[in-house]
Amino acid sequence: MNMLIQLRNYRTLWVTTIALACFSNAFAQQSYRITDLGNNKNTNNFAMVMGLNNLGWAENMDGIVNPPETSTSTTIASGRAVISIYGFNIDLGTLGKPDANSWTDYGGINDLGEAVGLSETAVPDPNGEDICGFGTHLQCLPFLWRDGHMSALPTLGGINGWANAINNREQIVGFAEDGALDPTCGDTVKNNRITLPALWERGNVKALPLASKSDVDGFANGINERGHAVGYSGNCSEAHAVVWKDKTVFPLKDYGVFSSAYAINNSGQIVGQIGSAAGYFAAFWPQGADGEVVSLKLLPGDSAAFATGINNRGQVVGSTFDSKGDWSHGFVWQDDVITDLNTVIPDDSNLLIIAASNINELGQISGMATVQNGPHKGEVHAFLLTPTGIHFGASMADYARTHPHSALPANACNHSSQRFGPARLQR
């Protein structure tokens, strides 16, 4: 039996567990078990969870980054999009040659095990762009990975695009180029193409509307189960957070400097980042476009932050940065209380959490952490936190926990095909 089908057979059990957990007090837990998801290859030094579904399955960006590994200005040497089930890894492959690269963004996996992201092809970008960000200047296309197969999604007439997030209705959002030069960039960016916020449904793509006549670019980052999407609308010099409802765009309140929305829950609560004269902060729009924005307090010693995950309980997760621009802490926020995740994991953990990316309906939290001791000291590993008191029945996860170094090659899932990295996490 196809391995992916075997994994999906456990879905009923997991959904039942989730339903029971939603009626429990699990979300009030203040301590967590931590699972080191490692990375996909012994030669890699970086892995971060970018998507987390309600089964605890993660979609990671996994590869090699150049030192310093924990800096937001690091560059990517190579990478792959990987689905990780408690450390049991499925390399999603690429749209190009076997040694090509693929990557992922926040919100890239749904509860059906379908995943989206961006991948190089084997074709050089005729405009010389490097949208995938690996320094290869190859065409970069949005992809959908389903049933062990990666397929390219269409653009809006241009060369490149990204697929960022997918919901359980199989609606996908991201951006796609339309082929035209961006007239707002001037000489600051050479040969820059217009990028439009995009929505893919049933294999077809449509551009989502921009917020004002002066806007030429946009980016859709997240989508909820109602099909409402969030991101930003702007031009080469500015960007402001928006939400799209029924394909109509609504600006979100900000302080006039900069803002971008990353995730939206089914109640319409939105999180992201906002700029002000005082700096850049994690942002929370509790009433969406109908209310004001809340800037979340920073953790002591940190100088900036952004929020990238929110569940239907209104629990928010995100990451902070120090004065040097390095990743600093992952946090969880609820009811105006911000908590450093390093204070709610076991004291003997060998991981220091430097970023939190997602939170699901079980209250599980994902992100990345640095290894503190041992042969992998200094590496950045993906992690998963599970609130204490939540336990799962027999599943693939139990097998994976006893086989932490297992890796499932792309062809084991009948995989027929052979600009997002740490440096762009605050775009």
Side-chain angles (χ1 to χ4, degrees):
M1 182 184 292
N2 183 290
M3 179 62 73
L4 186 67
I5 296 174
Q6 294 182 49
L7 297 179
R8 281 189 174 181
N9 285 344
Y10 292 108
R11 182 171 182 266
T12 302
L13 171 65
W14 282 69
V15 170
T16 302
T17 305
I18 290 170
L20 294 173
C22 287
F23 292 96
S24 74
N25 197 36
F27 288 89
Q29 295 289 340
Q30 296 299 306
S31 60
Y32 298 81
R33 303 191 309 276
I34 185 167
T35 302
D36 184 349
L37 301 180
N39 53 46
N40 196 35
K41 296 179 180 179
N42 290 331
T43 55
N44 290 353
N45 66 358
F46 178 90
M48 179 179 181
V49 179
M50 298 298 289
L52 179 67
N53 69 14
N54 289 315
L55 313 179
W57 299 12
E59 187 187 23
N60 301 350
M61 50 185 190
D62 195 329
I64 299 173
V65 300
N66 298 310
E69 291 89 341
T70 59
S71 172
T72 56
S73 61
T74 191
T75 54
I76 320 161
S78 63
R80 286 293 182 90
V82 171
I83 290 179
S84 179
I85 305 173
Y86 286 87
F88 189 87
N89 295 322
I90 304 172
D91 185 338
L92 303 191
T94 77
L95 296 169
K97 297 178 180 178
D99 61 347
N101 300 292
S102 59
W103 217 230
T104 183
D105 205 340
Y106 296 103
I109 186 170
N110 66 14
D111 292 344
L112 303 174
E114 298 166 327
V116 297
L118 50 139
S119 173
E120 295 176 335
T121 71
V123 179
D125 188 313
N127 300 315
E129 292 187 284
D130 188 38
I131 298 299
C132 273
F134 294 97
T136 59
H137 299 277
L138 296 171
Q139 179 188 33
C140 183
L141 287 180
F143 73 74
L144 168 64
W145 189 90
R146 174 195 289 153
D147 295 331
H149 174 72
M150 179 183 287
S151 57
L153 296 170
T155 69
L156 293 165
I159 301 298
N160 303 295
W162 291 0
N164 292 343
I166 182 171
N167 65 14
N168 290 327
R169 296 165 60 184
E170 300 179 341
Q171 295 172 303
I172 301 166
V173 293
F175 84 81
E177 293 180 338
D178 69 355
L181 280 169
D182 188 334
T184 67
C185 290
D187 294 330
T188 58
V189 181
K190 298 294 183 182
N191 205 22
N192 198 53
R193 303 283 154 166
I194 288 175
T195 60
L196 296 174
L199 171 68
W200 289 269
E201 294 181 284
R202 300 179 181 88
N204 299 312
V205 62
K206 291 183 178 180
L208 294 170
L210 300 172
S212 76
K213 293 181 179 179
S214 62
D215 292 349
V216 296
D217 298 301
F219 202 110
N221 288 314
I223 187 167
N224 66 12
E225 296 307 319
R226 301 173 66 184
H228 297 168
V230 294
Y232 70 76
S233 176
N235 54 49
C236 209
S237 61
E238 64 177 334
H240 298 282
V242 296
V243 57
W244 291 275
K245 297 180 181 179
D246 300 320
K247 301 181 179 66
T248 300
V249 64
F250 300 91
L252 298 175
K253 297 287 181 64
D254 62 17
Y255 304 138
V257 177
F258 159 86
S259 60
S260 182
Y262 282 91
I264 178 171
N265 67 14
N266 292 336
S267 298
Q269 296 175 313
I270 299 166
V271 295
Q273 187 181 46
I274 192 165
S276 71
Y280 292 86
F281 301 91
F284 177 48
W285 290 269
Q287 285 85 44
D290 298 324
E292 299 298 321
V293 62
V294 177
S295 297
L296 307 190
K297 291 180 286 188
L298 294 172
L299 291 170
D302 289 325
S303 61
F306 71 153
T308 52
I310 183 170
N311 63 15
N312 291 325
R313 292 291 185 99
Q315 294 177 307
V316 176
V317 295
S319 311
T320 65
F321 307 90
D322 63 22
S323 59
K324 298 183 296 182
D326 291 345
W327 296 92
S328 185
H329 301 97
F331 69 82
V332 60
W333 179 94
Q334 188 175 28
D335 299 329
D336 204 32
V337 176
I338 187 169
T339 302
D340 180 348
L341 288 173
N342 292 291
T343 67
V344 291
I345 61 175
D347 292 337
D348 60 355
S349 173
N350 195 32
L351 297 177
L352 176 68
I353 296 173
I354 58 173
S357 56
N358 311 91
I359 183 167
N360 66 14
E361 298 311 315
L362 281 173
Q364 292 178 299
I365 299 170
S366 61
M368 66 177 176
T370 54
V371 180
Q372 299 300 289
N373 297 291
H376 299 286
K377 181 179 180 179
E379 293 181 358
V380 178
H381 284 194
F383 75 82
L384 179 68
L385 301 184
T386 301
T388 55
I390 291 180
H391 299 282
F392 304 107
S395 70
M396 192 66 208
D398 295 312
Y399 171 82
R401 276 194 293 269
T402 62
H403 298 73
H405 303 297
S406 297
L408 184 65
N411 58 11
C413 282
N414 297 328
H415 194 294
S416 61
S417 67
Q418 303 288 323
R419 168 172 165 162
F420 192 83
R424 287 164 291 279
L425 286 173
Q426 296 187 78
R427 173 172 174 165

